[in-house]
């Protein structure tokens, strides 16, 4: 039969209370038994009744334990003893003996009184059901096949009734359990019950022939008991394998952030049916130590796992044999004290591998079920789960390292412009109307002279000295950042413009000193521009731009300058550029240059990246970031993209006319991906120039690819369906995860040049590049490295398996005519590859 387990906490008596369910069961069972069993009661032999009782106790002791949520229940071959008791002593005495046997077993195993009372009522109702069915079925001697069938039907039906009553009890106390519990309850009853009844009837038949049959029956029943126990072990092991597989599938889908860590902990708790699970992770980069807890009662912290001196944590972290299992029943005094500190009786603890140089710690406390406690199979299951936990934590740390490097300056370790902008926006978003913040932009006065005279090593040393001075003298709540070149920034949350100006003057005076650099005493002088929110802007872009304007004014006058609208000539310039954008494209002012991309192994030129340029007749060369951002703001980015795409495809068409296949790459703005006619415009451009889709690559930024509006649309899939390739540009500087990449139709990733430029001198950069290459290849993606400027970097990337290279080592971006000259001078033409129709360029060595 099946037995339920209830470990609900103490609470007032209600319909969902275990005592309520137990009393209801007894209230139904007692009158039903009196009405059904008492009329047919007869005398019984006391020795026979005792033998039946012992048989029922033995049958109930051979159990297989199962769990469902907080409920645990057991299955036993009790039908064997049940059918024998029905035949030998009748319904009433069978009910008495079964009730006594269940009471003895539950009390011996330490179960709760509501559970014992409910289980007694269940077995009494099972006997009543069996007796009622036997009265309706043909009655005869035990040797008659019809009698066998009657007892088989009655006993199995009674067991099914017991399973249904247990399911009803769980539903009443825990809510509807779903299909999983029905399968777990009913399938074993249907499979084990009939076999037990058949064995019981066979035993009765043999005893009916001769009482000496017990000499054969006893070893047979013992063997069946051992087989049943083995079945329990195999069932538990199979369940453990199922848990590990389900866990691996769930962990693979978690996001690489704090929410993902919490999902991992939640998955461990659910799959091991634990009362609580805690994961402690050491500090890493700019992250503080973390303790992530998932508990049945909703607790987010408890004493023990976060303490580095805790006995159980130290033992688990130092263990070379996998997870450690500590149980109160076998604990020494120190272990018992550590368990009492947590308020638990069973604990599994294990070390977690991290990239922080210090192991983490995972502990699993107490089964939610009272029937089953942690055992060696759970220890083995957790050991298998740790492989996936370690992989997920390492992936999180790797991506954290990539994002940290993208947000921080390599030289000084300070936040960079991107991080500063995010911090400014966060500060201002707390109170969009009244938030105040000061921004100081400081430029090192003699940086260029030091670089030109003493070299980059000396200027880097000067930057480090300046960063140290600013750290020392900046206000306590200030955020210090390193901008481009010789510039630093200081964000002062909560300060007004006058207070920021005073802080800027104090900072300049404190940092104006002499420092030993490259063996020389050099003077450190700062020029400072000041802007403040909300008077000068309410977003990071405006505030930093106006601090730049103020810094330019301070550079001309010396000292400290604050932003004022009269200084801002940028607004007029931007307005003029916006009105001239269409004319510039029509007049040929906006053109493109091409930068070759080569195969890392064969040196074949596989593509050229198309880069836009604007040579303004009055302002000279306009930085692409300036007019691209302007085009996005005024809604003309689509026209600029179409112009660049036409120039790139026209160039590709001319190569095809020379029987040479060379693909072109075009950058696509995030704003373009939201335009409803983008796919149709690109399709028409390909048709207009007669260029197959496979010779066009669209480069997208990380932010645009993982944007919800893009991910929820079909634009990427529709673009990919044109046959063209999609490339993720500047990979590592955004917020995409590997699981997101796998779900998108991306063909390649481009490692941001910030990771490539320092590879020849930094092992950390090489490690990041190698990790990105390996992870991308595992997802079936090609990898392009930007910013390759020396042979050592090229060789390192080739050894790592990088697919394509781009950078000044190959060529600078070249206009169309100079590209033709470069191709004539530096490349040769290779015949078409087998199966291809066009020839290819390769770089001569």
């Amino acid at each position: 039969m099946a037995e339920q387990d209830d470990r609900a906490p103490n609470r007032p008596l209600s319909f969902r209370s275990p005592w309520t369910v137990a009393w209801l069961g007894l209230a139904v069972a007692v009158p039903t038994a009196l009405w059904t069993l008492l009329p047919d009661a007869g005398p019984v032999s006391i020795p026979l009744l005792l033998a039946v009782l012992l048989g029922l106790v033995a049958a109930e002791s051979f159990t297989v334990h199962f769990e469902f949520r907080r409920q645990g229940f057991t299955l036993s071959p009790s039908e064997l003893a049940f059918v024998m008791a029905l035949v030998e002593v009748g319904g009433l005495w069978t009910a008495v003996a079964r009730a006594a046997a269940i009471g003895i077993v539950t009390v011996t195993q330490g179960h709760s009184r509501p559970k014992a009372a409910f289980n007694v009522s269940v077995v009494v109702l099972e006997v009543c059901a069996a007796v009622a069915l036997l009265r309706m079925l043909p009655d005869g001697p035990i040797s008659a096949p019809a009698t066998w069938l009657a007892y088989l039907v009655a006993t199995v039906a009674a067991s099914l009734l017991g399973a249904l009553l247990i399911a009803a009890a769980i539903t009443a106390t825990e809510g509807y359990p779903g299909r999983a519990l029905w399968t777990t309850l009913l399938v074993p009853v249907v499979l084990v019950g009939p076999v037990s009844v058949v064995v019981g009837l066979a035993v009765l038949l043999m005893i009916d022939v001769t009482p000496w049959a017990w000499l054969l029956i006893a070893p047979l029943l013992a063997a069946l008991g051992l087989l049943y126990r083995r079945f329990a072990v195999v069932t538990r092991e199979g369940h453990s394998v199922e848990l590990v597989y389900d866990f691996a599938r769930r962990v693979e889908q978690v996001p690489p952030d704090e929410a993902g860590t919490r999902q991992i902990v939640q998955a461990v708790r659910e799959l091991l049916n634990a009362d609580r699970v805690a994961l402690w992770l050491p500090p890493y980069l700019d992250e503080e130590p973390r303790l992530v807890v998932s508990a049945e009662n909703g607790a987010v912290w408890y004493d023990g796992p976060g303490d580095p001196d805790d006995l159980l944590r130290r033992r688990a972290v130092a263990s070379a044999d996998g997870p450690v299992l500590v149980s109160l029943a076998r604990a020494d005094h120190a272990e018992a004290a550590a368990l009492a500190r947590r308020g638990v009786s069973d604990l599994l603890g294990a070390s977690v591998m991290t990239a922080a140089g210090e192991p983490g710690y995972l502990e699993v406390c107490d089964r939610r079920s009272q029937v089953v406690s942690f055992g060696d199979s759970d220890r083995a299951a957790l050991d298998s789960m740790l492989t996936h936990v370690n992989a997920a934590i390492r992936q999180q740390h790797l991506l954290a390292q990539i994002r940290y490097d993208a947000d921080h300056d390599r030289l000084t370790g300070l936040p960079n412009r991107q991080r500063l902008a995010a911090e400014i926006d966060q500060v201002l978003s707390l109170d969009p109307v009244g938030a105040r913040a000061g921004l100081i932009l400081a430029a090192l006065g003699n940086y260029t002279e030091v670089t030109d005279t003493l070299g980059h090593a000396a200027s880097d040393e000067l930057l480090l000295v300046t960063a140290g001075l600013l750290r020392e003298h900046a206000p306590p709540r200030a955020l210090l950042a390193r901008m481009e070149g010789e510039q630093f920034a200081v964000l002062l949350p909560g300060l007004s413009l006058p207070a920021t100006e005073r802080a800027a003057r104090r900072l300049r005076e404190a940092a104006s000193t002499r420092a030993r650099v490259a063996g020389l005493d050099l003077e450190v002088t700062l020029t400072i521009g000041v802007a403040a929110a909300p008077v000068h802007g309410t977003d990071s872009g405006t505030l930093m731009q106006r601090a730049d304007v103020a810094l330019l004014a301070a550079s001309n006058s010396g000292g400290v300058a604050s932003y004022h609208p009269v200084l801002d000539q940028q607004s007029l310039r931007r307005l003029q550029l916006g009105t001239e954008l269409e004319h510039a494209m029509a007049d040929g002012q906006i053109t493109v240059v091409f930068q070759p991309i080569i195969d890392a192994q064969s040196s074949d030129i596989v593509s050229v990246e198309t880069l836009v340029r604007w040579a303004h007749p009055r302002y000279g060369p306009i930085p692409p970031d300036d007019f691209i951002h302007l085009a996005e703001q005024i809604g003309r980015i689509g026209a600029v993209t179409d112009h660049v795409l036409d120039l790139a495809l026209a160039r590709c068409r001319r190569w095809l006319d020379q029987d040479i296949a060379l693909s072109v790459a075009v950058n696509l703005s995030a704003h373009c991906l939201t335009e409803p006619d983008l796919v149709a415009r690109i399709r028409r451009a390909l048709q207009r120039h007669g260029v197959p889709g496979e010779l066009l690559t669209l480069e997208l930024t990380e932010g645009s690819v993982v944007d919800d509006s893009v991910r929820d649309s079909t634009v990427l899939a529709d673009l990919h369906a044109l046959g063209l390739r999609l490339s993720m540009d500047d990979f590592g500087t955004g917020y995409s995860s590997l699981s997101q990449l796998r779900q998108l139709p991306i063909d390649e990733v481009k490692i941001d040049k910030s990771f490539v430029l320092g590879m020849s001198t930094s092992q950390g950069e090489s490690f990041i590049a190698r990790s990105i290459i390996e992870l991308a290849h595992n997802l079936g993606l090609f990898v392009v490295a930007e910013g390759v400027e020396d042979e050592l970097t090229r060789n390192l990337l080739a050894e790592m398996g990088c697919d394509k290279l781009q950078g000044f080592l190959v060529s600078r971006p070249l206009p169309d005519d100079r590209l033709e000259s470069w191709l004539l001078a530096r490349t040769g033409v290779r015949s078409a590859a087998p199966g291809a129709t066009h020839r290819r360029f390769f770089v001569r060595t």
Side-chain angles (χ1 to χ4, degrees):
M1 69 159 288
E3 300 176 2
Q4 74 140 20
D5 167 43
D6 179 20
R7 284 186 63 184
N10 293 331
R11 53 191 173 190
L13 196 65
S14 68
F15 182 72
R16 296 176 66 86
S17 166
W19 267 119
T20 301
V21 175
W23 285 117
L24 284 174
L26 291 173
V28 174
V30 172
T32 302
L34 293 175
W35 180 69
T36 305
L37 305 179
L38 199 58
D40 295 336
V44 66
S45 167
I46 298 300
L48 178 60
L49 184 60
L50 289 175
V52 168
L53 175 63
L54 290 175
L56 287 167
V57 170
E60 293 291 348
S61 299
F62 284 93
T63 56
V64 180
H65 300 296
F66 294 92
E67 298 170 280
F68 188 83
R69 297 176 184 168
R70 291 182 58 86
Q71 303 294 339
F73 53 91
T74 61
L75 290 176
S76 64
S78 57
E79 288 83 358
L80 187 153
F82 180 23
V83 71
M84 294 177 65
L86 283 174
V87 173
E88 294 297 327
V89 300
L92 176 64
W93 297 112
T94 298
V96 171
R98 284 200 80 189
I102 286 294
I104 292 171
V105 171
T106 53
V107 169
T108 302
Q109 294 178 352
H111 297 305
S112 63
R113 285 177 292 178
K115 168 187 165 72
F118 178 76
N119 284 344
V120 167
S121 65
V122 168
V123 297
V124 170
L125 289 172
E126 287 181 358
V127 175
C128 293
V131 169
L133 283 172
L134 287 172
R135 288 174 181 167
M136 294 185 288
L137 295 172
D139 188 19
I142 193 64
S143 58
T147 304
W148 304 344
L149 182 61
Y151 276 100
L152 177 63
V153 171
T155 307
V156 173
S159 297
L160 287 173
L161 173 64
L164 293 174
L165 289 173
I166 290 174
I170 292 175
T171 301
T173 56
E174 297 271 340
Y176 179 64
R179 295 177 59 186
L181 180 62
W182 295 109
T183 303
T184 309
L185 271 176
L186 299 180
V187 170
V189 169
V190 172
L191 294 178
V192 177
V195 175
S196 299
V197 173
V198 169
V199 172
L201 291 172
V203 170
L204 290 171
L205 285 171
M206 294 176 68
I207 295 173
D208 189 54
V209 173
T210 172
W212 292 104
W214 277 110
L215 296 176
L216 299 176
I217 293 169
L220 175 62
L221 293 179
L224 287 174
L226 293 175
L227 287 173
Y228 197 76
R229 286 288 178 94
R230 182 58 188 164
F231 167 73
V233 173
V234 172
T235 301
R236 188 77 176 272
E237 291 175 350
H239 183 58
S240 297
V241 172
E242 232 176 84
L243 289 182
V244 173
Y245 174 77
D246 189 29
F247 181 79
R249 181 179 54 80
R250 291 179 62 177
V251 168
E252 189 179 284
Q253 299 173 353
V254 302
D257 53 20
E258 186 170 352
T261 306
R262 188 165 298 282
Q263 289 180 32
I264 292 173
V265 174
Q266 178 73 16
V268 173
R269 186 175 76 84
E270 290 178 1
L271 295 177
L272 287 179
N273 199 28
D275 183 70
R276 79 179 79 138
V277 173
L279 173 64
W280 181 86
L281 294 174
Y284 185 64
L285 300 176
D286 56 351
E287 297 176 354
E288 296 295 324
R290 287 188 292 157
L291 180 64
V292 183
V293 175
S294 174
E296 178 74 13
N297 60 6
V300 296
W301 181 90
Y302 65 93
D303 193 22
D307 181 5
D309 296 322
D310 178 74
L311 171 68
L312 302 182
R313 171 173 159 177
R314 285 192 287 109
R315 183 174 299 174
V317 169
S319 173
D321 299 324
V324 297
L325 172 59
V326 181
S327 177
L328 187 60
R330 297 182 295 275
D332 58 30
H333 179 73
E335 292 172 340
L339 291 172
R341 178 185 188 182
R342 295 163 167 81
V344 302
S345 57
D346 292 299
L347 181 142
L348 283 166
S351 176
V352 174
M353 301 301 296
T354 71
E358 180 183 355
Y361 171 63
L362 176 70
E363 72 174 32
V364 184
C365 300
D366 278 352
R367 284 275 195 182
R368 289 192 291 177
S369 164
Q370 186 180 6
V371 171
V372 183
S373 59
F374 290 131
D376 288 337
S377 62
D378 300 297
R379 182 174 173 270
L382 180 59
D383 196 22
S384 299
M385 290 180 188
L386 283 174
T387 302
H388 305 286
V389 173
N390 290 336
I393 297 300
R394 282 198 299 269
Q395 178 183 338
Q396 289 184 10
H397 280 174
L398 172 60
L399 292 175
Q401 177 74 60
I402 292 173
R403 290 169 183 163
Y404 179 87
D405 289 341
D407 279 348
H408 289 77
D409 175 57
R410 301 289 192 280
L411 178 65
T412 62
L414 295 174
N416 58 15
R417 175 183 287 271
Q418 176 177 301
R419 177 66 177 274
L420 175 66
E423 293 289 342
I424 294 173
D425 287 332
Q426 182 177 357
V427 169
L428 299 182
S429 66
L430 296 178
D431 183 2
V433 177
R436 297 192 302 179
L439 180 63
I440 295 173
L441 210 58
L444 194 55
N446 53 350
Y447 175 80
T448 304
E449 291 80 1
V450 171
T451 303
D452 294 341
T453 307
L454 301 177
H456 286 284
S459 61
D460 286 348
E461 189 176 348
L462 180 60
L463 288 171
L464 289 171
V465 169
T466 306
L469 289 170
L470 292 173
R471 279 194 183 100
E472 181 181 353
H473 298 292
R477 294 181 59 233
L479 173 70
L480 182 61
R482 161 87 190 282
M483 311 295 274
E484 300 82 4
E486 73 278 18
Q487 292 186 6
F488 292 87
V490 182
L491 175 63
L492 302 169
L495 265 63
S496 64
L497 177 59
T500 304
E501 291 172 336
R502 291 193 296 270
R505 284 190 287 270
R506 288 195 299 268
L507 189 61
R508 184 174 185 272
E509 292 171 5
S512 296
T513 184
R514 299 188 70 83
R516 191 76 175 172
V517 175
L520 300 174
D521 286 331
L522 300 180
E523 186 175 0
V524 178
T525 59
L526 295 177
T527 303
I528 292 180
V530 174
V535 292
H536 295 151
T538 56
D539 63 86
S540 60
T542 303
L543 209 58
M544 288 193 292
Q545 182 264 332
R546 290 180 173 173
D548 261 324
V549 172
L551 179 61
L552 180 62
S555 301
N556 295 331
S557 60
V560 178
S562 297
Y563 171 80
H564 191 278
V566 300
L567 301 174
D568 193 2
Q569 299 300 318
Q570 295 295 319
S571 297
L572 180 60
R573 179 174 178 264
R574 283 169 57 84
L575 179 62
Q576 185 172 354
L577 290 178
T579 59
E580 294 178 356
L581 200 59
E582 291 286 350
H583 173 73
M585 288 188 287
D587 200 36
Q589 296 176 23
I590 295 181
T591 59
V592 294
V593 294
F594 302 95
Q595 186 171 30
I597 302 172
I598 67 170
D599 185 283
Q601 307 300 326
S602 67
S603 294
D604 283 0
I605 301 177
V606 293
S607 182
V608 292
E609 182 176 2
T610 310
L611 304 170
V612 65
R613 296 291 185 263
W614 186 354
H616 195 278
R618 180 186 303 175
Y619 299 123
I622 307 296
D625 286 346
D626 287 358
F627 69 84
I628 290 297
H629 182 60
L630 174 61
E632 290 176 337
Q633 288 187 324
I634 65 176
R636 301 304 300 157
I637 188 61
V640 174
T641 301
D642 291 346
H643 180 68
V644 173
L645 186 62
D646 271 331
L647 295 175
L649 293 178
R651 176 67 272 185
C652 185
R653 179 67 258 174
R654 290 196 294 274
W655 280 319
L656 285 174
D657 292 340
Q658 300 171 31
D659 196 29
I660 293 173
L662 186 58
S663 69
V664 290
V666 174
N667 290 280
L668 203 60
S669 165
H671 289 70
C672 291
L673 292 175
T674 62
E675 296 175 343
D677 62 340
L678 173 66
V679 177
R681 293 191 342 249
I682 293 177
R683 182 188 296 110
R684 289 196 297 269
L686 289 169
Q687 295 171 348
R688 185 166 59 251
H689 292 280
V691 174
E694 61 265 21
L695 292 182
L696 174 62
T697 299
L698 296 181
E699 296 189 2
L700 317 168
T701 62
E702 279 192 81
S704 67
V705 170
V706 300
D707 182 79
D708 288 339
S709 62
V710 174
R711 292 177 60 196
D712 294 340
S713 71
T714 63
V715 62
L716 294 181
D718 293 341
L719 288 172
H720 207 262
L722 297 178
L724 50 79
R725 297 171 61 82
L726 298 179
S727 175
M728 181 177 285
D729 200 9
D730 300 334
F731 180 71
T733 62
Y735 296 92
S736 63
S737 70
L738 297 177
S739 61
Q740 288 173 325
L741 281 182
R742 186 176 54 185
Q743 299 166 8
L744 297 170
I746 301 296
D747 299 289
E748 69 180 24
V749 296
K750 297 187 75 171
I751 306 176
D752 185 65
K753 62 183 177 182
S754 61
F755 299 121
V756 176
L757 289 173
M759 283 182 56
S760 58
T761 57
S762 169
Q763 289 185 347
E765 308 293 348
S766 295
F767 170 76
I768 293 173
R770 184 186 299 275
S771 300
I772 291 175
I773 291 169
E774 291 177 356
L775 292 170
H777 282 171
N778 288 338
L779 293 175
L781 304 176
F782 290 94
V783 182
V784 183
E786 297 182 286
V788 181
E789 297 189 359
D790 56 74
E791 289 289 349
L792 179 57
T793 302
R794 171 182 179 156
N795 294 337
L796 286 172
L797 288 166
E799 291 173 5
M800 294 175 185
C802 183
D803 302 292
K804 304 173 188 179
L805 307 176
Q806 178 181 359
F808 287 177
L809 179 66
V810 180
S811 172
R812 293 178 177 273
L814 301 171
D816 195 0
D817 55 345
R818 290 183 58 194
L819 177 65
E820 282 296 319
S821 301
W822 184 86
L823 291 173
L824 290 173
R826 294 284 306 278
T827 68
V829 178
R830 201 190 301 279
S831 59
T837 58
H838 299 286
R839 298 177 298 163
R840 297 163 293 160
F841 285 121
F842 68 93
V843 179
R844 296 194 187 100
T845 56

